[in-house]
């Protein structure tokens, strides 16, 4: 009986370690591959070769995603396809991928207590980011990419591990997880704005509201100083003039 009990314990230990090694090895393997992001490579190759017909087919394949999750990007995508605007199309799809990272991370935070689901969502967010990586290097630098990957790794560690039958379990850390996830979102979001919204934000920067009363120009403060000095001098001259008149 003791031998059977010992054998069972050894078997559980071996299975648990095998599970842990497998989980580690495939943390970001195929289960985390995000097809919506992976197809960007084909989309990019298509427009580079002038194959707009295939580019439209790719969009139509994932149109449901744009209808459900990336509605703000959809008009830019359709405009780019209609006008065959390569830059607009790629930037818009990149913006959609960034939103997809945010979406996956958001639900990973919501389902933090469900280890398997949270881990899968984290992996899919990382899979999407891996496709965006070359653009992040262009827009920021390699250090930013390395920091984001580290944040993903730290977030995975913060998920903990329930182990197998409770053996080899590791405690989770929700606060650390949220911190790392928020960092990823905060760094990525400004790098991939929705093109039409970015242009709308800049549309208010006209000559009229960038004039001398905008309050943001360093030259304005100098102008106001000169104007104030002139007023003070004029005020002093008025007082002096009035005193001289009284003396007469």
């Amino acid at each position: 009986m003791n031998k059977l009990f010992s054998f069972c314990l050894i078997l559980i230990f071996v299975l648990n370690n095998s599970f842990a090694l497998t989980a580690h090895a495939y943390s970001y393997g195929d289960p985390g591959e995000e097809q919506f992001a992976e197809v960007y490579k084909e989309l990019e190759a298509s427009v580079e070769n002038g194959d707009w017909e295939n580019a439209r087919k790719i969009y139509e394949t994932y149109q449901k995603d744009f209808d459900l999750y990336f509605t703000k990007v959809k008009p830019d995508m359709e405009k780019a396809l209609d006008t065959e605007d390569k830059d607009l199309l790629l930037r818009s799809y990149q913006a959609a991928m960034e939103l997809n990272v945010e979406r996956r991370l958001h639900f990973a935070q919501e389902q933090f207590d469900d280890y398997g689901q949270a881990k899968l969502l984290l992996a899919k967010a990382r899979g999407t980011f891996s496709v965006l990586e070359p653009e992040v290097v262009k827009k920021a630098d390699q250090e930013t990419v390395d920091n984001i990957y580290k944040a993903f790794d730290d977030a995975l560690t913060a998920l903990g591990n329930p182990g197998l039958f409770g053996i080899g379990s590791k405690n989770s850390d929700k606060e650390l997880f949220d911190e790392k996830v928020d960092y990823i979102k905060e760094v990525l979001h400004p790098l991939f704005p929705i093109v039409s919204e970015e242009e709308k934000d800049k549309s208010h920067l006209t000559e009229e509201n960038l004039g001398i009363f905008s309050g943001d120009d360093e030259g304005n403060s100098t102008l106001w100083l000169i104007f104030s000095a002139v007023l003070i001098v004029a005020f002093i001259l008025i007082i002096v003039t009035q005193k001289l008149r009284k003396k007469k």
Side-chain angles (χ1 to χ4, degrees), residues 33-40 57-75 77-78 92-93 95-101 103-104 107 124 128 194:
E33 185 175 87
E34 188 76 281
Q35 283 302 317
F36 175 79
E38 289 296 323
V39 79
Y40 172 79
K57 285 180 181 178
I58 292 171
Y59 169 70
E60 289 173 351
T61 300
Y62 293 93
Q63 189 170 350
K64 185 177 179 181
D65 293 85
F66 285 93
D67 290 338
L68 291 174
Y69 313 122
F70 318 120
T71 53
K72 290 185 178 181
V73 182
K74 184 179 176 181
M77 287 292 298
E78 294 180 347
S92 298
Y93 206 95
M97 286 194 289
E98 189 279 325
L99 291 174
N100 191 59
V101 172
R103 183 173 70 94
R104 294 301 193 183
F107 286 111
K124 287 188 176 294
T128 303
I194 297 170

Side-chain angles (χ1 to χ4, degrees), residues 187-215:
V187 173
L188 278 183
H189 186 73
L191 296 178
F192 300 98
I194 297 170
V195 180
S196 55
E197 288 191 357
E198 184 184 32
E199 291 175 351
K200 190 185 298 182
D201 290 341
K202 289 179 179 178
S203 66
H204 68 283
L205 301 178
T206 61
E207 290 182 7
E208 288 77 10
N209 58 27
L210 283 176
I212 61 172
F213 298 109
S214 67

